[in-house]
Amino acid sequence: MNWRNLFLVLGMFGAPLPAREWRSADGSRTLEAEFAGLKDEKLLLKTKDGKSTMFPATAFSKEDQQFAQQAQVTLEAAVKAKPLSFEVTQVLPEGFLCRLVNELLGQKGIWAATGAPFLVLTSSEVTAERGTRVMAKTLYHAGTRTFQALDGTSTLINAYSLKLDEAVNTALMIQTASGGDPAKQAPLIVEPLMEKIMVRGLGLPIGKGHFITDAAFAEGNHPLAIHHEGKDVPATVVKNDTKRGLALLKCAGVELPAGAFIPRGPVVFGQNIVVASLTLNSTRRGFEPVTMTTGIVSRLIDTTLFQHDAPLVPDAVGGFVLNDRLEVIGVFFSPETRTLGARSSSSQASVSPPTPRGITECHRSDILDELCIEGGKDKRLPGVPELKRGSIGDDKSVAADFLRKTCVLVVSAREVAKTPPPAKTTAGTATPPGAATGWSLSKSGTRHNAKCRFFGSGAACQATEGKACKVCGG
């Protein structure tokens, strides 16, 4: 690669490394500059004033030469691989376990995950959840890791960063810590026992910082927030009506105009309806344009619930049922649960994600105001306004735009415990409950697996450490 092509590479596939301090071979002088390339033992550095100067690589310390060599190798490998798209399959304390994705030929918008899993380091400034798709990013190799799953199996995987400097520094740190031992150049990462999930759903503003949402958000002592103007503003539970499946929240930092969520007439069996469904956008921080479908009220369940036969929107987190006058006669909630993060801990009590109602089963909106009443009929909860009545627009497009802009996103973070699968020993069989799994390293440096009669005679180890036992195969 010539110098001209190298400059093009640095411009197209990621910014040069941040400025760092370079030390002369004798340690007497230092220079703060960006790495710009290494070729034929010539090191190109870019100083703060924007000037690029070429130096003999041997003019710098051994550590700086190693850094430059690693940076050049890492950069060239990333350029050869080209920007890649990937999907997060699991969130770990150390980063995101991912697989490459490719759009299927002739099927626009349909993607398939392929290839072996790999790790993208957490500090790569990526905010992702399980299922998040990251498009066209340059991946810089940051060494290998040994991934140990909950079933005891271990796999060597590649690690990457979205930042060249992080990849280089991480790879060099591992090389130094290993002392040149290949068995120690793939640090162990363990699948966590606890994972954090994020639950998101619909919130209806009723005025003075109050919101109505699904009762699932009020279950347990979990942090709640209203997502507004790019921030998660803390919210508290005012009332949880488990009988009706509704909760009333208070968020002092978010005061939005109240929507008209009460109709001027009752729900009637067989009446024509329009169902307005809201789905989350790709960032999971807002709503897509409202999807409208039509149908009829197909069943009056009781004084609080009814069903309809309008086509469903599978990914909807909630929505509204409107009558011919575009009045809200019903609401439904279907919170979305997605994995956000994870941590290695088994001491925390496990909780289960909420089970949403079927979205054909709707709350009659004329009972929403009852959620704001405590005790007697005329005794309202302090500070809670009376819900508005009437139409929400003159036509469907106006109504859809009003609902999308009026509603808010309710978010809640909680932890759940994973249930580890039984550890596999041989094809088609599983390790009995309580049986040992993993590997141990004897004093002679021999690695034994859990089936070996010598297993446990030494310290626990990774699948790559020591010499394999000739009896069990290690």
Side-chain angles (χ1 to χ4, degrees):
M1 181 180 293
N2 58 41
W3 289 111
R4 180 177 179 276
N5 289 340
L6 183 59
F7 278 124
L8 289 174
V9 162
L10 289 171
M12 293 173 60
F13 291 91
L17 292 171
R20 66 188 298 272
E21 186 177 84
W22 300 80
R23 188 173 296 275
S24 62
D26 60 7
S28 63
R29 290 171 295 173
T30 60
L31 173 67
E32 189 171 346
E34 299 174 2
F35 170 81
L38 177 69
K39 185 176 185 295
D40 298 330
E41 296 301 316
K42 300 291 185 181
L43 177 59
L44 187 65
L45 298 180
K46 185 177 180 180
T47 54
K48 288 184 177 180
D49 58 8
K51 293 181 180 179
S52 297
T53 307
M54 194 176 300
F55 301 88
T58 54
F60 294 92
S61 66
K62 181 180 178 181
E63 291 75 16
D64 287 339
Q65 292 181 51
Q66 289 177 338
F67 182 92
Q69 290 168 2
Q70 185 69 36
Q72 186 64 32
V73 170
T74 303
L75 177 62
E76 290 182 359
V79 170
K80 186 176 181 180
K82 298 181 180 179
L84 299 167
S85 300
F86 54 91
E87 184 174 285
V88 176
T89 60
Q90 190 169 170
V91 184
L92 308 172
E94 298 83 0
F96 307 101
L97 202 63
C98 307
R99 292 182 69 194
L100 295 179
V101 292
N102 293 289
E103 192 171 25
L104 297 180
L105 290 175
Q107 301 187 53
K108 189 175 181 180
I110 300 179
W111 296 77
T114 60
F118 56 89
L119 181 74
V120 175
L121 301 180
T122 301
S123 51
S124 295
E125 299 177 356
V126 175
T127 301
E129 307 168 0
R130 180 182 295 169
T132 298
R133 192 173 298 137
V134 182
M135 307 303 293
K137 294 292 184 180
T138 301
L139 295 173
Y140 300 104
H141 193 249
T144 57
R145 305 291 187 275
T146 302
F147 175 67
Q148 183 172 309
L150 288 180
D151 63 2
T153 58
S154 294
T155 309
L156 281 175
I157 62 173
N158 286 308
Y160 297 91
S161 173
L162 299 184
K163 297 187 294 186
L164 180 56
D165 61 324
E166 180 182 53
V168 173
N169 289 324
T170 300
L172 289 175
M173 181 180 65
I174 292 173
Q175 290 175 18
T176 301
S178 70
D181 184 353
K184 296 180 180 179
Q185 291 181 6
L188 181 68
I189 57 175
V190 181
E191 184 177 0
L193 296 174
M194 299 291 294
E195 65 182 359
K196 184 182 290 184
I197 63 170
M198 185 65 75
V199 184
R200 298 186 179 93
L202 190 65
L204 317 182
I206 62 172
K208 296 184 178 180
H210 290 85
F211 302 85
I212 292 177
T213 189
D214 192 274
F217 284 102
E219 295 174 0
N221 188 23
H222 307 299
L224 280 171
I226 300 295
H227 188 77
H228 181 62
E229 295 183 346
K231 298 180 180 179
D232 288 340
V233 185
T236 56
V237 179
V238 176
K239 181 180 178 181
N240 184 23
D241 190 335
T242 55
K243 182 178 179 181
R244 290 188 174 92
L246 298 170
L248 179 64
L249 307 182
K250 170 69 174 177
C251 183
V254 181
E255 293 197 15
L256 298 174
F261 299 122
I262 306 295
R264 286 169 289 195
V267 179
V268 178
F269 174 76
Q271 74 180 105
N272 294 323
I273 59 167
V274 176
V275 176
S277 301
L278 285 94
T279 58
L280 297 180
N281 60 23
S282 59
T283 67
R284 329 310 290 177
R285 294 289 186 272
F287 299 110
E288 292 283 4
V290 174
T291 301
M292 296 283 205
T293 56
T294 58
I296 64 169
V297 174
S298 56
R299 182 189 174 201
L300 300 177
I301 299 174
D302 54 30
T303 57
T304 64
L305 299 169
F306 69 90
Q307 288 182 334
H308 65 79
D309 66 355
L312 307 180
V313 178
D315 297 330
V317 293
F320 304 86
V321 180
L322 313 176
N323 61 18
D324 288 335
R325 292 180 292 186
L326 297 180
E327 297 172 336
V328 177
I329 64 171
V331 297
F332 60 89
F333 302 95
S334 182
E336 177 198 74
T337 301
R338 301 189 76 182
T339 299
L340 174 67
R343 64 181 186 82
S344 298
S345 171
S346 56
S347 60
Q348 193 85 357
S350 63
V351 296
S352 298
T355 303
R357 294 172 177 270
I359 63 173
T360 54
E361 189 176 282
C362 302
H363 302 279
R364 297 171 68 141
S365 59
D366 51 14
I367 61 96
L368 293 180
D369 199 51
E370 296 177 17
L371 183 66
C372 308
I373 298 173
E374 194 71 61
K377 183 176 181 180
D378 299 324
K379 187 179 179 182
R380 299 189 69 78
L381 291 167
V384 181
E386 186 173 349
L387 271 67
K388 291 185 177 182
R389 299 174 181 270
S391 173
I392 60 171
D394 298 327
D395 57 50
K396 290 182 182 179
S397 62
V398 173
D401 189 58
F402 169 82
L403 291 174
R404 185 189 182 200
K405 292 179 178 178
T406 301
C407 294
V408 298
L409 196 62
V410 183
V411 295
S412 174
R414 55 194 70 190
E415 286 188 325
V416 296
K418 292 182 180 179
T419 303
K424 296 243 179 125
T425 52
T426 58
T429 65
T431 302
T437 60
W439 300 266
S440 67
L441 194 67
S442 65
K443 292 182 179 180
S444 64
T446 304
R447 182 180 68 250
H448 309 279
N449 64 33
K451 296 183 292 181
C452 186
R453 66 178 184 271
F454 300 112
F455 176 78
S457 59
C461 71
Q462 301 178 27
T464 56
E465 291 185 70
K467 301 176 295 182
C469 172
K470 293 182 180 180
V471 176
C472 68

